[in-house]
Amino acid sequence: MGVEVLSGVVSPDHVHILVSHPPQIPVSKLVQRVKGKTSYKMQREFQVLRKQYWGQRMWARGYFACTTGNVTDDMIKEYIDGHTEADDNFKVADFESE
């Protein structure tokens, strides 16, 4: 699709990504593709997720998107890189393949 992921961070309940994409690709189609592909791949890799989300949506229906303009790409990247939320209950090992 000509999309480049510039930065990203995964939190227990949300994801931030900074992408560069061609203007002819609608943001809604990009988000649809990202959610679909990541859901498919995560459920393939982690058996517990496949059982939990069988026949259901893995991602929430909504999303927030904005363009750069008043702020620079570097400012957004800095925000994303500094965005960490400690959650003692969230452990990647809980989702390891069985």
Side-chain angles (χ1 to χ4, degrees):
M1 291 179 67
V3 176
E4 181 183 1
V5 176
L6 303 175
S7 182
V9 65
V10 177
S11 296
D13 61 352
H14 64 280
V15 175
H16 290 277
I17 57 172
L18 173 62
V19 298
S20 174
H21 72 91
Q24 65 269 23
I25 297 175
V27 174
S28 60
K29 291 292 180 193
L30 175 61
V31 172
Q32 180 183 24
R33 176 74 61 94
V34 168
K35 286 182 174 186
K37 293 291 184 182
T38 56
S39 175
Y40 176 80
K41 288 182 178 189
M42 288 172 55
Q43 289 184 50
R44 286 292 214 198
E45 186 172 345
F46 302 109
Q47 181 71 24
V48 66
L49 293 177
R50 188 177 323 156
K51 290 177 184 175
Q52 182 176 353
Y53 291 104
W54 178 257
Q56 298 179 25
R57 294 181 185 269
M58 181 173 188
W59 297 110
R61 288 184 178 175
Y63 64 91
F64 171 78
C66 67
T67 60
T68 59
N70 290 338
V71 295
T72 65
D73 291 353
D74 291 335
M75 292 170 72
I76 293 174
K77 186 176 182 324
E78 184 179 316
Y79 168 79
I80 290 173
D81 291 344
H83 186 79
T84 58
E85 293 180 8
D87 184 351
D88 296 333
N89 297 322
F90 181 74
K91 296 178 182 66
V92 174
D94 293 342
F95 298 101
E96 288 182 356
S97 299
E98 293 179 348

